[in-house]
Amino acid sequence: MTADLTITAVHLTPILVADPPLLNTQGVHQPYTPRLIIEVETADGITGVGETYGDAKYLELAQPFAKKLMGRQVSDLNGLFTVADEVAVDDSRVSGRVDVGGLRGVQTADKLRLSVVSGFEVACLDALGKALGLPVHALLGGKVRDSVEYSAYLFYKWAAHPEGVPAEPDDWGAAVDPAGVVAQARAFTERYGFTSFKLKGGVFPPDEEIAAIRALAEAFPGHPLRLDPNGAWSVETSLRVAAELGDVLEYLEDPALGTPAMAEVAAKAGVPLATNMCVTTFGEIPEAFAKGAVQVVLSDHHYWGGLRATQQLAAVSRTFGVGVSMHSNTHLGISLAAMTHVAATVPDLHHACDSHYPWQSEDVLTERIAFEGGRVTVSDAPGLGVELDRDRLAFLHRRWLDDDGALRDRDDAAAMRVAHPDWVTPSVPRW
């Protein structure tokens, strides 16, 4: 009997999930961050799930997008982009603004659409896989590895959110100096078995972050290390840091802002440069690759428009001799499962992927995804191989409904102003 793959219902559930006080160059994470859970249901009663950003601008685009999917085939993945082009974007939401947390560069309507499409594509692939009895990686051409390696994502961090701010407790403790960063890395290793480490920089003056990387190199000799200041440095500062840390860094991620500055750094640094800021769309590839501005592109299926676009990016990068790995922003288990499926299909994945997942104490799945030896096993179950916890989803949605709107859009600078009222979003380069 042939499965009926007609989409008969789409459910959008915005939620707020707990987030620790992680620091970056823009400020600090809010105590709760918005995510959007997408469910696509077929005529046969099969439901596929996806996840993307939950800020208001994404939800406002997802709602009309969802209505246009009714009656379409869940297998019509290319049609998702056609539908997205038919949905108008409020220019006031994106014009001249920077993206989530200020860490992706300038927003455009097309970037916004792709971030919405990505969640729906994953939901459709999940439903299609369940209907056909195939894992998502099989729908993408088949896996080339049985597990995917992830890197410990280290952050400078306060011990807790500011006093008086409602928040969920965490047991990670503070990390505001080299000793704290090393202690955090040890905790990641003990809990999850990670063997490579990435530090989110751009928080303290460069010499302090150089000291932190040196401390990590001493504590974990021979382990891959990365530093990501999110474009907070000048070309001169970037070159100085590269010279100081060239013997221990696997790569330096987005030290300077924009392709021209990155190209200047790359020409002299002697250290590979990675990016998730100056190359986040296919249109940004020609200039960056022609100028040799980046040696590793960090894909993020939320940015690029889904899992198949990630495969396309990997193929283009391979053609030009540019490495590829995966970027992460605050995400839950649905996104981690999707990342793992597509990463399993990319032949030349020579760098461990990023993941925020260990920082997220809350999830919408019946069972958390496990890291063993710093790796996630690729599921062979139909679809993504995950199941929604309906009670937990309802609880996190209720938190979103009860919010007065202050947390429905991520704003790291606003969160910092709770503790430091005079804080303004730093101009770049900061140093």
Side-chain angles (χ1 to χ4, degrees):
M1 181 177 178
T2 303
D4 189 342
L5 302 178
T6 304
I7 296 173
T8 56
V10 179
H11 306 287
L12 304 178
T13 309
I15 60 175
L16 286 175
V17 295
D19 212 5
L22 308 179
L23 299 165
N24 58 46
T25 194
Q26 298 288 309
V28 65
H29 288 205
Q30 293 169 310
Y32 300 99
T33 196
R35 298 297 286 178
L36 176 62
I37 305 304
I38 299 167
E39 299 175 73
V40 173
E41 187 175 338
T42 71
D44 284 345
I46 293 172
T47 299
V49 296
E51 173 191 345
T52 191
Y53 301 111
D55 303 64
K57 57 182 174 288
Y58 298 98
L59 181 58
E60 289 169 4
L61 183 57
Q63 289 168 334
F65 186 96
K67 292 179 181 178
K68 287 180 176 290
L69 292 187
M70 303 297 292
R72 301 179 71 94
Q73 295 296 295
V74 79
S75 57
D76 184 15
L77 302 175
N78 290 332
L80 295 175
F81 295 90
T82 302
V83 172
D85 288 340
E86 297 172 354
V87 178
V89 175
D90 182 355
D91 287 340
S92 67
R93 283 287 195 182
V94 295
S95 180
R97 298 172 184 266
V98 290
D99 213 319
V100 177
L103 307 180
R104 180 184 168 188
V106 176
Q107 294 181 6
T108 67
D110 285 340
K111 286 182 179 181
L112 187 61
R113 288 191 182 96
L114 288 172
S115 294
V116 172
V117 168
S118 69
F120 283 93
E121 189 221 43
V122 168
C124 287
L125 283 167
D126 185 36
L128 182 60
K130 290 173 179 174
L132 300 177
L134 295 172
V136 165
H137 65 73
L139 302 179
L140 298 174
K143 62 182 179 179
V144 297
R145 58 185 60 84
D146 292 323
S147 66
V148 173
E149 184 182 5
Y150 287 87
S151 179
Y153 204 158
L154 310 179
F155 279 81
Y156 289 107
K157 177 185 177 294
W158 292 337
H161 286 283
E163 186 176 354
V165 173
E168 305 305 311
D170 72 76
D171 63 354
W172 289 97
V176 293
D177 55 22
V181 170
V182 170
Q184 187 182 101
R186 292 194 190 282
F188 266 97
T189 300
E190 292 166 2
R191 297 180 189 189
Y192 304 107
F194 293 118
T195 59
S196 67
F197 305 91
K198 167 179 167 175
L199 175 62
K200 176 67 75 178
V203 176
F204 296 111
D207 285 342
E208 296 184 37
E209 298 184 353
I210 289 171
I213 293 294
R214 280 290 172 198
L216 285 170
E218 183 176 349
F220 301 93
H223 290 243
L225 303 177
R226 312 159 182 180
L227 177 58
D228 172 21
N230 282 122
W233 300 338
S234 67
V235 170
E236 293 74 19
T237 298
S238 300
L239 289 171
R240 182 171 71 82
V241 175
E244 292 266 5
L245 296 176
D247 60 324
V248 295
L249 284 181
E250 178 185 12
Y251 57 67
L252 188 57
E253 181 181 337
D254 287 306
L257 189 63
T259 292
M262 288 281 285
E264 277 194 71
V265 176
K268 301 176 182 179
V271 175
L273 300 189
T275 188
N276 73 277
M277 293 180 70
C278 66
V279 180
T280 61
T281 64
F282 287 100
E284 293 167 333
I285 286 177
E287 180 188 10
F289 285 13
K291 291 183 175 180
V294 296
Q295 288 69 57
V296 181
V297 174
L298 303 178
S299 175
D300 185 322
H301 71 272
H302 306 92
Y303 288 7
W304 290 84
L307 308 187
R308 296 179 310 136
T310 297
Q311 289 182 308
Q312 293 164 11
L313 169 63
V316 172
S317 298
R318 185 166 61 248
T319 301
F320 287 91
V322 174
V324 67
S325 187
M326 291 193 183
H327 164 263
S328 165
N329 211 317
T330 304
H331 67 83
L332 301 179
I334 296 171
S335 284
L336 179 59
M339 290 171 65
T340 302
H341 275 275
V342 69
T345 70
V346 175
D348 299 315
L349 192 68
H350 301 310
H351 306 277
C353 301
D354 295 338
S355 176
H356 277 68
Y357 190 65
W359 287 112
Q360 312 315 136
S361 60
E362 300 179 319
D363 204 351
V364 293
L365 302 182
T366 55
E367 184 177 353
R368 284 185 67 87
I369 295 175
F371 293 90
E372 296 182 3
R375 309 181 75 92
V376 173
T377 299
V378 182
S379 173
D380 289 323
L384 291 173
V386 299
E387 182 181 351
L388 275 181
D389 183 328
R390 295 285 170 189
D391 291 339
R392 197 64 189 160
L393 181 65
F395 174 82
L396 298 177
H397 179 53
R398 173 55 58 185
R399 182 187 287 158
W400 183 89
L401 290 172
D402 290 343
D403 177 62
D404 61 4
L407 299 175
R408 292 186 183 182
D409 290 292
R410 177 176 163 180
D411 190 335
D412 294 355
M416 180 63 88
R417 283 192 289 273
V418 175
H420 302 283
D422 295 334
W423 177 265
V424 295
T425 302
S427 59
V428 290
R430 286 185 72 180
W431 292 282

